[in-house]
Amino acid sequence: MRRFGTICALVLAFLAGVLLHLLYQRWSLTEPVWQNPVSTNQSVSPAGEGRDFHVKFVPLPGTPTADNRAADVATVLARDIGQVRSLAGRKARIRGRIFRVGHSAKSNTYFLDFGPSREALTAVIFASAVELFEKNRQTPRQFENREVEIVGFIKDHPQYGLEVVLEHPEQIKILN
């Protein structure tokens, strides 16, 4: 009987931990992964003393800053598959018309295809980012048959082909 009580206590402790973890994930605020701020002015309080230490980032000579980093991003047309493929693994600005918007109901993932073939570039919006797009009043379906510009890292996935993962609404802009 004592063993049963110990097992019940362990199961209840485990379930309480899972519940607390889920609540923490739901209400904790995090910044998008794709953003990489160049300068910051944050308050740091070591040992809880209430003192503020202001930190400022000063780039080394020759280091790209936020101003000139945007100029370093290559701009290509989505229909130029060869040029897009040559930029795989790098951040790029891509312009083109969304041919179709596909949706996987199982994973709540949207696929913004820039062409009818499998070789065409695809922008992917995973379920974790769909809520951000909807809060920003940008439903993924509204991009269909629209001229857009996306910014992100190009992946040449062996199974799915060329893709750019959109993690934040600021990564896509409607041009027309």
Side-chain angles (χ1 to χ4, degrees):
M1 193 67 178
R2 184 174 175 193
R3 198 177 244 186
F4 178 74
T6 304
I7 291 173
C8 286
L10 286 173
V11 168
L12 286 175
F14 175 78
L15 292 176
V18 169
L19 178 66
L20 286 174
H21 177 70
L22 292 174
L23 291 174
Y24 174 77
Q25 282 186 331
R26 172 76 173 106
W27 284 303
S28 66
L29 299 175
T30 59
E31 290 202 356
V33 176
W34 67 272
Q35 284 183 333
N36 191 5
V38 173
S39 66
T40 180
N41 192 5
Q42 298 177 345
S43 297
V44 179
S45 178
E49 299 170 359
R51 294 183 297 178
D52 288 341
F53 298 94
H54 298 286
V55 178
K56 184 170 179 165
F57 173 78
V58 179
L60 295 171
T63 305
T65 60
D67 299 330
N68 64 10
R69 201 177 312 158
D72 292 344
V73 175
T75 302
V76 295
L77 296 176
R79 65 178 176 246
D80 189 359
I81 301 298
Q83 192 173 7
V84 173
R85 191 174 307 278
S86 71
L87 294 172
R90 293 182 30 206
K91 188 174 183 179
R93 179 176 286 113
I94 303 158
R95 291 182 180 198
R97 181 171 295 276
I98 302 294
F99 179 74
R100 92 175 135 243
V101 175
H103 180 249
S104 169
K106 184 177 180 181
S107 63
N108 193 26
T109 302
Y110 287 89
F111 304 96
L112 286 63
D113 296 325
F114 282 89
S117 68
R118 287 191 58 85
E119 287 81 34
L121 176 73
T122 300
V124 182
I125 303 173
F126 289 111
S128 57
V130 170
E131 188 175 324
L132 283 173
F133 278 85
E134 290 171 350
K135 282 183 183 177
N136 203 32
R137 295 193 173 124
Q138 288 183 325
T139 59
R141 293 258 183 227
Q142 81 182 38
F143 299 118
E144 192 161 11
N145 293 320
R146 303 291 296 270
E147 191 77 24
V148 298
E149 178 181 87
I150 63 173
V151 177
F153 287 94
I154 300 173
K155 294 180 186 175
D156 194 356
H157 196 279
Q159 184 178 359
Y160 305 116
L162 292 169
E163 65 181 22
V164 175
V165 177
L166 301 178
E167 297 172 337
H168 198 275
E170 291 176 4
Q171 287 181 272
I172 187 167
K173 177 172 60 170
I174 297 175
L175 300 176
N176 65 353

